[in-house]
């Protein structure tokens, strides 16, 4: 686990960013979600939106579904659930569980 994603995400949240971009390729989803959790636990206000992407080797229905399920599991381990807003198609919103 790299501390770069944890530190940079924490800095971005403190600066007022509400949309954080991640990707399974970067292997930093856990750190990004941990930074969001720490921010919210410290009283950070408002919603935070997290975007993640599957790797090219995870394209195809079954592989993509498994990759998304793994990303959801990563968020759930940090106390979050994924909510799919109907108006955003495949976008997901990270909310407290």
């Amino acid at each position: 686990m790299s501390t770069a994603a944890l530190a940079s995400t924490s800095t971005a949240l403190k600066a007022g960013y509400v949309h954080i971009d991640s990707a399974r390729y970067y292997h930093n989803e856990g750190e990004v979600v941990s930074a969001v959790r720490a921010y919210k636990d410290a009283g950070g206000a408002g919603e935070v939106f997290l975007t993640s992407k599957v790797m090219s080797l995870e394209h195809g229905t079954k592989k993509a579904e498994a990759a998304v399920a793994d990303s959801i599991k990563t968020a759930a381990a940090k106390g979050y659930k994924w909510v799919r807003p109907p108006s955003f198609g495949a976008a997901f919103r990270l909310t407290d569980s």
Side-chain angles (χ1 to χ4, degrees):
M1 178 188 285
S2 162
T3 58
L6 184 63
S8 60
T9 302
S10 296
T11 299
L13 291 167
K14 289 174 187 170
Y17 285 82
V18 297
H19 181 204
I20 307 297
D21 184 42
S22 181
R24 292 174 52 78
Y25 180 80
Y26 307 148
H27 302 285
N28 67 1
E29 288 179 326
E31 290 177 78
V32 170
V33 175
S34 290
V36 173
R37 174 88 272 161
Y39 171 77
K40 298 302 278 182
D41 287 349
E47 292 183 304
V48 176
F49 297 87
L50 173 65
T51 302
S52 192
K53 298 163 287 299
V54 299
M55 292 190 257
S56 60
L57 58 94
E58 297 171 326
H59 288 189
T61 303
K62 292 196 183 295
K63 290 179 182 178
E65 286 175 350
V68 170
D70 190 55
S71 292
I72 291 169
K73 182 179 170 184
T74 298
K78 305 293 182 184
Y80 284 99
K81 64 180 177 179
W82 291 85
V83 177
R84 180 178 184 215
S87 61
F88 288 102
F92 290 84
R93 179 170 48 108
L94 195 60
T95 63
D96 288 311
S97 54

